[in-house]
Amino acid sequence: MKSSQLIRLALKQSRSDLRTFEWRALLLALLLATTLAGFLSLLGNQLEKGLNRQSASMLGADLSLSDSQPAPAERLAAAEKAGLQYSNIIQFSTMVSTDTQLLLSSVRAVEAPYPLRGEVVTDPPQPDQIPAPGMAWAEQQLLQRLGISVGETITLGYSQFKITAAVISSPDRGTGFRSFSPQLMINRKDLAATRVIQPGSRIGYRTLFSGSEQQIKNFHAQLRSNLTPQQRLWSVYEDQPLASGAMQNASGFLRMTSLFGILLCGLLISLSLRRYSSVQYRRSALLQSLGLRPRQILQLYLLKLLLGWLFAALVGVIAALLLLQLTGSLLQTLLPAGLPAPNYRLTATGPLMSLALLLVIGYSPLLQISRIPVMGLLRRDQLSHQALSWPARLIILILSGGIIALYLGSVSNAIAAILLSVATIMLAGLCASLLLPPAGRLLARRFRLGRLLTYRIRQQRQWHRVQLGIMCLLLTLLSSLLISQTELVNRWRTQLPVNTPNQFVINIQPWELQPLSQFLKDSGIETNLYPMIRGRITLINGQPPERVLDQAQLENNALKRELNLSWSASAPQHNELTAGYWWPDDVQENLISVEQQLAENLGLKLGDTLSFEVGGQQFSATIHNTRKVEWRSFRPNFYMIFSPGVLQNYPQTYITSFRLSDQQTGLSRELLKQFPSLTLIDVSQWIDQASQLIDRLIQASTLILGLTLCAGFVLVQLLVSQELEQRRHENALLQVLGSTEGQTRQLDILEFALLGLASGAMAALLTDVVTGLISYRLLDLPLILHPGIWLILPLTGMLLFTLSALASHRRSGYRQLQRN
């Protein structure tokens, strides 16, 4: 037969197959696979770029380099050569004044263009993004504490500035404690006239860069290889200073959701192909009797699959783009600047993914169809297909893993997904042979058609193993995704709880402890005051660090600067002990508690001795325990906490943090009025920005979760509908033999209820395994067991498949077949 004749025959058979449920189910599977893969790729990329852009708007740029020296000309020239835009900022702490008030402020001297990402929001709005020469913009806290308003004048050094706007929010607040002081923004051209910068002044120089993702990554790598100890580098793509953990978790969740979506696509196509091929054996035998050779039959069915894929690809791409437009219109408020334009090149991801899965999964069933002997027209036993050999199965698994790896860009995740899928299906099949027969015999005693149920379970045991494996894998994927998203949201929410402190007070002198504590108590504020001393690590176990640590450990920033040291008789409530125990109240030894991550980075263990230098004096202490510190808790935290008596003879100051509500904003001014030597640091703006970002991450992850769950429910419905199609003729025969319509429906529902119950029980076990792997590998969350799912999943599986069976009965034409 010529190729043109094969194509015409394939078109004709494809049209006639549209009347069969199996072919329609396969087309639906391809359509869902194309739509889901394409839509998740487009939306995931769009959300990830949008969230990165939101993080960049908090940083004020894509890349930020801080230094104690101005940026050299050759570095700026290199940035220009790389096609980057840049801006230089000078930031320092100094006193600003009015006729009656003095206030320690953080001055930000900026130049255009600024900021490179995000925008400065002012009241009233300003035509430019930086103050004009001779003018200044001040944060609300600065205006409140000085008791002035917009339009008045302040003094900075030898210059006076008119406040033309109040800063409501702004990116690029800088780093360190100076970044949290009330800020004043001036034009860099006015800086020299103030004469506040003198030799020996502590000045922070910051250079912001913006450009494409690849440009920023290349320039980041170039700068990172030449960093000095005084320089710090942040990139929105790698080491973001703001909400970096949340962004990494969000990216991991998006990748995980895409992985689960692809596994659902593979299940849809595999299940539909298996059913379609099983009803094509007789047609294949007939085609051979008419003179077609096995190779031509294989080509015919490949052409039919390609035609079906082409139809699904066209409709699926349109559906994915329509869904993207719909979600884009719904999510315009998700990010302040809206979602970025989608990368339409990813539109091809869906069709290519579904085609690859179709060919990899479908070639083997088609090969079996082409090898059905002509005797299959006369003898039904000749129509049974031969099981795949282990080498063939291994090749399919390897190819499927390769497709997923290309889609995700991660070989390890693809291997883990394939191995878990195979293990799930095999384990579920084994358990099916153990759980279903006893459950069927138990129901047989109380149900009129109970013997038929046990017979059906025995007759379908081979197919039930496949069914149960797929059901179990489906429930495992959906429950794991739901649990992971719930734990991720909880992690984000606890990262910034409702009562997060938004005020820090430092430089508290010992004689101010009692009156300050009384002032805070009278104001209804409960807080703890922590002693603080600056000290540097000098020896580890009596040896200089360079003799006991490797080069990577010596690069740790804790060895290059003075650390904040403290002491306490009791363990901080907001720190978790990870090794050792807290010292008793009457301890006489020099003991120390070390932050866990620092101990791991420097290879420190319990019993090691650390030596410190404070004010030119040396002392040593023994590591007694380690603590897990959540640095984003906005509470006073320390790398080193000593036992009482070690540091009490050294000059110390105190630090505390607390929360002021919107109704208590005037309290900060009263506090500084009564205690003018204190430094009050307001971090409320940073918390507001981080909270907004976290809320948007939660909304994005919830959207992706909902879409993937919908695809899973479609798979359940398709699975049940296919199975009921196989029961239609059997149930019609039972009706002829005297069974009622209700009894046959009850027989089907009981069968699927048992399948759902068994698959849910096994999915509960596997969900704990999968969520543990997800938490460890992707989301960096603690491992948690979920005993509740052992009750919820079996009941959910039973209810889900029962409802799907009822819905399929109503619309499948089942009653009409019985009445005929």
Side-chain angles (χ1 to χ4, degrees), residues 41 62 158 304 376 380 516 552 795:
S41 296
D62 298 319
Y158 287 86
K304 289 175 63 176
R380 178 171 291 272
L516 177 61
L795 295 177

Side-chain angles (χ1 to χ4, degrees), residues 231-409:
Q231 294 176 333
R232 298 294 300 276
L233 186 63
W234 292 283
S235 167
V236 295
Y237 301 110
E238 297 187 36
D239 39 10
Q240 308 161 56
L242 304 178
S244 59
M247 286 298 301
Q248 292 169 0
N249 289 157
S251 298
F253 186 80
L254 289 174
R255 290 195 303 272
M256 179 185 67
T257 307
S258 296
L259 170 62
F260 282 11
I262 293 307
L263 290 177
L264 290 176
C265 292
L267 284 175
L268 283 166
I269 294 174
S270 177
L271 187 63
S272 301
L273 269 173
R274 184 180 178 93
R275 279 302 189 192
Y276 176 71
S277 62
S278 65
V279 299
Q280 294 297 310
Y281 294 146
R282 186 175 293 277
R283 175 179 285 184
S284 175
L286 178 61
L287 289 173
Q288 285 198 60
S289 70
L290 296 176
L292 263 69
R293 295 188 296 273
R295 181 175 58 84
Q296 293 175 322
I297 294 176
L298 178 61
Q299 293 174 349
L300 172 66
Y301 279 99
L302 281 174
L303 283 173
K304 289 175 63 176
L305 286 188
L306 289 176
L307 288 171
W309 167 80
L310 184 60
F311 167 78
L314 292 174
V315 179
V317 166
I318 295 173
L321 292 175
L322 289 176
L323 281 174
L324 189 69
Q325 292 297 322
L326 176 62
T327 53
S329 63
L330 295 175
L331 294 177
Q332 281 305 312
T333 59
L334 180 65
L335 298 172
L339 289 173
N343 182 1
Y344 286 106
R345 288 180 298 178
L346 294 175
T347 305
T349 303
L352 292 178
M353 175 62 63
S354 61
L355 177 62
L357 289 174
L358 180 65
L359 294 179
V360 169
I361 298 173
Y363 185 78
S364 177
L366 296 186
L367 190 61
Q368 294 174 15
I369 291 176
S370 66
R371 293 176 177 177
I372 292 296
V374 178
M375 287 298 296
L377 292 171
L378 303 176
R379 296 179 55 183
R380 178 171 291 272
D381 61 321
Q382 296 291 320
L383 294 178
S384 60
H385 66 276
Q386 300 294 322
L388 287 177
S389 63
W390 279 107
R393 295 180 183 181
L394 184 60
I395 291 173
I396 291 176
L397 289 179
I398 292 174
L399 292 176
S400 301
I403 294 171
I404 295 176
L406 289 174
Y407 179 75
L408 296 176

Side-chain angles (χ1 to χ4, degrees), residues 448-481:
R448 186 174 180 182
L449 298 181
R451 286 190 176 183
L452 288 176
L453 179 62
T454 57
Y455 173 76
R456 180 177 286 183
I457 290 174
R458 186 168 60 251
Q459 180 192 40
Q460 299 287 336
R461 61 183 181 273
Q462 295 295 332
W463 182 241
H464 278 165
R465 291 181 181 178
V466 178
Q467 283 179 313
L468 213 57
I470 294 174
M471 290 178 181
C472 179
L473 182 59
L474 173 63
L475 290 176
T476 300
L477 291 177
L478 297 182
S479 58
S480 298
L481 194 61

Side-chain angles (χ1 to χ4, degrees), residues 280 315 374 389 398 446 469 525 565 574-575 595 701 752 765 789 808:
Q280 294 297 310
V315 179
V374 178
S389 63
I398 292 174
R446 303 180 181 181
I525 297 173
L565 313 178
H574 54 284
N575 288 182
E595 190 266 337
S701 65
F752 282 99
L765 170 64
I789 64 175
S808 297

Side-chain angles (χ1 to χ4, degrees), residues 518-530:
Q518 189 63 43
F519 174 86
L520 295 175
K521 183 178 180 181
D522 294 341
S523 303
I525 297 173
E526 295 184 4
T527 187
N528 295 317
L529 287 89
Y530 301 87

